[in-house]
Amino acid sequence: VLGETTAVVEAVIQHGMKTSAYLDALISASRPFPDAAMQPAFDTLDKPGAILAVGFGRRSDRLDDVLRIFHDAKPDSETAHACLHTLGYLGENQPSVLAALRGHLDNEKTGWIAERALLRINPQEALEVLAQHDPLDPELAITLFAINRDTSAFKTLTQTLRTLDSGNARQLLAGAITNLPDEDLKTLVQQPTVAQHLRDQALAPE
C-alpha cells in the first residue's frame, strides 16, 4: 500500500494530524509524488491532512502555498502544526522558510516542531539559532553537537551547561558521556565551564 502514492495521500488527508511521523520513513514510492496522486490534496489544501500530504509527497513546488497558509493560520492551530511539519519534510533551505521556523521557536506548543524542522533543513542554522535560546534543552544540545562537532558546537554545550541547575547539568553531561566518542569527550571536559562544573560537583557535600 505504501508504494501506491494515491493511497498514501488519501490516508494522510483522512487522518490529518493523527498521521504518524514515522510514515515518512516507510514510504517506498519515489518522490515527488505525481500530480494525479496529489490532486486530492491540492483540492483541499485548507485541511491539515492535505498540507501534510504535500510534505510526505515532497511537492516543493507547493512551498509558496504552504507558507501562505502558515502565515494566515493561528499559531497554535492544527493547520500551523501541519505546515511546520511539512516545511521540515520539504527541506527547502530558503530564507523565507528559515524565518518562518525561527518565528515559532518560542511557541510552547509548536516550538519543538520548528526545532526539528530546522535541524532537518539546515543543522548549522539550527545550531546558531537554537544556541541563542536560554535555556537550551540538554538533549537537543547534545544532538546539535553530534551534528556539528566544531568550536561553535562546544560553545553551545558549555553555554547550555551554564544555564542549567545541577540536576539538568548532570543530565547533560551524562548524555554526553553516553553519546559522544571518547576523543570528543576529552575535548569537552577540557572546556573551562565543563571543568569548573565537574570541580563543583566533586566538592559538593553529599
Side-chain angles (χ1 to χ4, degrees), residues 12 58 95 173 200:
V12 173
R58 298 296 192 275
L173 290 177
D200 292 344

Side-chain angles (χ1 to χ4, degrees), residues 95-131:
S96 58
V97 174
L98 300 180
L101 296 173
R102 286 195 299 265
H104 266 251
L105 288 174
D106 291 322
N107 186 293
E108 291 184 2
K109 294 183 178 180
T110 59
W112 68 273
I113 310 175
E115 285 180 356
R116 274 120 188 101
L118 269 177
L119 285 166
R120 182 169 186 152
I121 294 172
N122 188 330
Q124 181 61 42
E125 171 80 6
L127 180 65
E128 294 171 358
V129 172
L130 299 178

Side-chain angles (χ1 to χ4, degrees), residues 70-152:
F70 177 62
H71 289 309
D72 291 340
K74 294 180 179 180
D76 295 336
S77 65
E78 284 196 349
T79 298
H81 278 67
C83 288
L84 286 168
H85 282 297
T86 292
L87 291 175
Y89 291 138
L90 294 179
E92 292 294 318
N93 190 8
Q94 298 185 16
S96 58
V97 174
L98 300 180
L101 296 173
R102 286 195 299 265
H104 266 251
L105 288 174
D106 291 322
N107 186 293
E108 291 184 2
K109 294 183 178 180
T110 59
W112 68 273
I113 310 175
E115 285 180 356
R116 274 120 188 101
L118 269 177
L119 285 166
R120 182 169 186 152
I121 294 172
N122 188 330
Q124 181 61 42
E125 171 80 6
L127 180 65
E128 294 171 358
V129 172
L130 299 178
Q132 299 172 12
H133 278 64
D134 184 10
L136 184 63
D137 176 70
E139 182 180 349
L140 182 58
I142 295 169
T143 300
L144 290 172
F145 177 76
I147 290 173
N148 190 3
R149 296 187 180 95
D150 61 11
T151 302
S152 61

Side-chain angles (χ1 to χ4, degrees), residues 8 11 60 68 82 109 119:
V8 172
S60 295
R68 173 181 52 77
K109 294 183 178 180
L119 285 166

